[in-house]
Amino acid sequence: MMHETEDIEQERSRLSHGPASQDAPPVLCAFDLRTSCPVDAFGLRVRSVLDPALHLALSQPFEGDDLPVGGIPDWFVAVGRGGTGPVPDFAARGRERYTAAFGQGPWDVQEWLYQFDPESEFRGWAWWHLTRSGDRQARIWVDSWGESFFACDELRWLTYVSGAEDVSGPALVRSAALVIPEPSHPVAREGPGPGVGGCPHPRAAARRMGGGTREK
């Protein structure tokens, strides 16, 4: 899925400030997860990685060379394949859970960042919101342009190493189920709402779907 500059700028704004309710498409995709820490702390970790990744998508040429990682949290770089430096317990546990859930090794940080190349079709989602559904239960909402099956393994990796205990989804959900308080806040409460026949993402197909390898 191609990501235009304006789309990434809007995605980054939603990440920092939350979305406006009137901007939501009729259907979004949701990942439900249980966290090992308070949802607010989990959300801060996710945003601390995703925001600089989106910044790179707006500022770097993605021509095959290594991307700068100065803005990426040290713990996220360290937890990846070949990373060096201390790895926090929450990230190390997440790495183990990811490997157990999908039978895949850790992501290399450069491989992960290259999923955000705006001119590629690697990434099949755009960030929409994070809501709290319990003390340590959350839902990540993404715009998948109405698709229930799309490349999202890089998002799963991020959630696990940020403190997710388990992650289910994606599943298509009517956006009316997303209740955004006024003024909008990055972590909102989710309202009741039926799903609309979202198809679970099979673990066997939760691979990089050909989009994870860089060519040099």
Side-chain angles (χ1 to χ4, degrees):
M1 182 64 65
M2 300 290 286
H3 298 262
E4 301 292 339
T5 297
E6 183 179 358
D7 297 331
I8 299 173
E9 291 172 344
Q10 292 174 354
E11 184 178 9
R12 203 175 176 203
S13 176
R14 291 193 299 269
L15 181 70
S16 299
H17 307 295
S21 56
Q22 67 270 19
D23 293 339
V27 173
L28 293 166
C29 244
F31 295 82
D32 290 314
L33 45 94
R34 182 169 52 90
T35 65
S36 61
C37 60
V39 173
D40 285 349
F42 170 81
L44 286 173
R45 292 170 187 163
V46 169
R47 291 185 184 88
S48 74
V49 176
L50 194 51
D51 181 70
L54 292 173
H55 173 69
L56 291 175
L58 293 170
S59 62
Q60 295 297 313
F62 289 85
E63 294 176 342
D65 296 326
D66 283 354
L67 297 168
V69 297
I72 307 297
D74 291 342
W75 63 264
F76 186 77
V77 177
V79 76
R81 186 174 68 249
T84 59
V87 178
D89 288 344
F90 71 83
R93 290 195 301 268
R95 179 173 57 193
E96 294 172 358
R97 293 189 188 99
Y98 175 87
T99 299
F102 303 108
Q104 301 180 64
W107 278 74
D108 172 82
V109 68
Q110 290 293 329
E111 179 185 15
W112 190 86
L113 289 171
Y114 260 79
Q115 308 308 301
F116 294 85
D117 179 355
E119 296 184 0
S120 77
E121 297 184 358
F122 297 168
R123 186 167 65 105
W125 56 275
W127 178 272
W128 200 265
H129 206 22
L130 169 67
T131 58
R132 183 189 301 108
S133 47
D135 179 38
R136 296 197 174 191
Q137 294 177 312
R139 170 173 284 185
I140 288 177
W141 304 74
V142 301
D143 185 5
S144 62
W145 298 272
E147 298 292 334
S148 61
F149 184 85
F150 53 92
C152 60
D153 204 24
E154 66 280 354
L155 179 58
R156 292 173 181 271
W157 169 251
L158 175 59
T159 60
Y160 274 103
V161 299
S162 295
E165 295 276 354
D166 55 65
V167 182
S168 64
L172 289 172
V173 180
R174 297 187 189 280
S175 58
L178 173 59
V179 178
I180 302 173
E182 297 294 342
S184 181
H185 188 275
V187 177
R189 300 287 301 191
E190 67 185 70
V196 292
C199 176
H201 199 198
R203 287 181 179 175
R207 303 185 64 183
R208 293 155 176 74
M209 298 178 69
T213 303
R214 293 181 295 135
E215 294 184 0
K216 284 196 173 184

